[in-house]
């Protein structure tokens, strides 16, 4: 039995990469390719079982509303999810209890490992800050990956009652110390020539540790997207983060 998949944002950079990746899989069937202006009802007529959404933070909620409320599982790479949006997705899922939704701030398996390692390491260092670097066409800052990393680090440090990080700054220009997410400062760089990169810098007396991940090509996200498609069909409810579908015990 193949899984019928539709790609939303099919003419975009990530969507086009997903179409190539899905076409090469014998257990997956690409049944619809939808971009801005196309009729979303194709999802129903094509009998899609899973949508993969790489569209835009302003579009994704409308797509999820339609898919989930039509009983279609969703794999979501589009970023910009806050607590309010997640709560709305959970409400739709509660009304459709057989439907699964994976929302993953990063589909790079290496990136997911970088986030896990950073959270683990942050328990042992006095301070930690994040630098994320992306192409200049990116709409949101900080990136979803950086935000998620900061949340995971905050949770890890809270679990071992870490002291607040020292910072003697008494005057600073707006933004000079980055954006604060949980306990962690995030610095966002936007430059042509970059794809998606993140460095987590940890420091304590006499040593620092840098954990860096580089996405060099969008094809690097595809093993994670395929894992998400295959896993979401048997995982009802909301799954936030690809790490939940990886064996990281
Ligand atoms: P992109 O090249 O701009 O592609 C987005 C595509 O979606 C465009 O073709 C856009 O059309 C289309 N679109 C917009 N609204 C739509 C709708 N309602 N229905 C169908 N298609 C719609 O962007 P990208 O680089 O592929 O990135 C897409 C999203 O994925 C961004 O939020 C990005 O941050 C995120 N992302 C996530 C990961 C991850 O691992 N989670 C990795 C990379 C990127 P128009 O151009 O006409 O607006």
């Amino acid at each position: 039995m193949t899984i019928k998949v539709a790609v939303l944002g099919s003419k975009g950079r990530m969507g086009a990469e997903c179409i190539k990746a899905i076409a090469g899989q014998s257990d997956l069937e690409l049944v619809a390719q939808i971009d801005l202006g196309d009729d979303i009802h194709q999802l129903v007529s094509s009998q899609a079982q899973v949508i993969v959404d790489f569209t835009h933070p302003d579009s994704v909620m409308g797509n999820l509303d339609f898919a989930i409320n039509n009983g279609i599982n969703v794999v979501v790479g589009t970023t910009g999810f806050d607590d309010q949006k997640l709560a709305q997705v959970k409400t739709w899922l509660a009304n459709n209890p057989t439907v699964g939704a994976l929302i993953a701030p990063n589909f790079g398996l290496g990136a997911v490992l970088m986030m896990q390692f950073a959270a683990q390491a942050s328990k042992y260092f006095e301070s930690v800050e994040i630098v994320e670097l992306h192409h200049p066409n990116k709409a949101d800052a900080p990136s979803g990956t950086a935000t998620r990393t900061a949340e995971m680090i905050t949770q890890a440090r809270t679990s071992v009652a870490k002291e607040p990080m020292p910072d003697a700054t008494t005057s600073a220009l707006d933004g000079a110390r980055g954006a604060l997410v949980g306990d962690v400062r995030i610095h966002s760089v936007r430059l042509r020539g970059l794809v998606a990169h993140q460095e987590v810098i940890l420091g304590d007396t006499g040593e620092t540790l840098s954990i860096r991940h580089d996405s060099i090509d969008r094809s690097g996200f595809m093993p994670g997207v395929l894992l998400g498609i295959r896993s979401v069909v048997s995982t009802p409810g909301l799954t936030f983060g690809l790490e939940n579908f990886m064996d990281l015990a």
Side-chain angles (χ1 to χ4, degrees):
M1 268 274 277
T2 58
I3 303 171
K4 292 181 164 51
V5 187
V7 173
L8 276 73
S10 56
K11 293 184 181 153
R13 289 160 292 204
M14 286 296 289
E17 204 62 51
C18 290
I19 287 166
K20 273 195 276 171
I22 292 163
Q25 308 301 311
S26 58
D27 61 331
L28 306 180
E29 185 187 350
L30 185 67
V31 294
Q33 305 180 28
I34 297 178
D35 208 81
L36 201 60
D38 294 335
D39 184 3
I40 198 169
H41 290 88
Q42 282 181 59
L43 293 180
V44 176
S45 56
S46 67
Q47 298 183 321
Q49 293 165 278
V50 181
I51 66 154
V52 177
D53 188 300
F54 280 100
T55 58
H56 190 277
D58 295 343
S59 303
V60 64
M61 291 304 279
N63 297 337
L64 299 191
D65 183 2
F66 183 88
I68 294 171
N69 288 312
N70 278 284
I72 303 169
N73 303 292
V74 301
V75 169
V76 185
T78 307
T79 46
F81 276 84
D82 54 18
D83 288 344
Q84 204 182 344
K85 287 183 176 177
L86 288 175
Q88 177 63 76
V89 173
K90 280 185 196 163
T91 304
W92 292 327
L93 289 167
N95 294 331
N96 296 276
T98 60
V99 176
L102 167 66
I103 299 177
N106 200 312
F107 279 96
L109 299 180
V112 172
L113 293 172
M114 172 266 294
M115 289 190 257
Q116 294 283 332
F117 296 158
Q120 216 174 333
S122 72
K123 294 180 186 174
Y124 301 97
F125 284 80
E126 184 180 67
S127 297
V128 50
E129 302 208 6
I130 297 171
V131 184
E132 58 95 338
L133 313 92
H134 284 82
H135 60 86
N137 301 326
K138 185 168 177 56
D140 51 326
S143 70
T145 301
T147 303
R148 177 80 182 126
T149 311
E151 288 166 356
M152 288 166 66
I153 289 172
T154 301
Q155 206 174 8
R157 290 171 69 89
T158 304
S159 73
V160 294
K162 279 304 273 186
E163 293 289 316
M165 299 178 211
D167 182 354
T169 310
T170 50
S171 76
L173 288 180
D174 263 4
R177 291 290 292 118
L180 193 61
V181 175
D183 297 340
V184 185
R185 295 200 174 269
I186 305 176
H187 310 270
S188 298
V189 178
R190 295 292 175 265
L191 284 179
R192 201 162 303 288
L194 296 174
V195 183
H197 317 262
Q198 179 167 306
E199 187 158 332
V200 182
I201 309 166
L202 303 111
D204 211 317
T205 313
E207 66 172 347
T208 66
L209 170 66
S210 297
I211 302 173
R212 183 174 170 114
H213 176 260
D214 297 278
S215 277
I216 296 149
D217 187 272
R218 290 183 176 83
S219 59
F221 294 115
M222 292 307 117
V225 171
L226 297 175
L227 174 65
I229 294 169
R230 291 178 177 125
S231 305
V232 79
V233 287
S234 55
T235 315
L238 178 65
T239 302
F240 188 75
L242 189 66
E243 62 276 16
N244 296 293
F245 289 159
M246 292 166 70
D247 181 15
L248 296 175

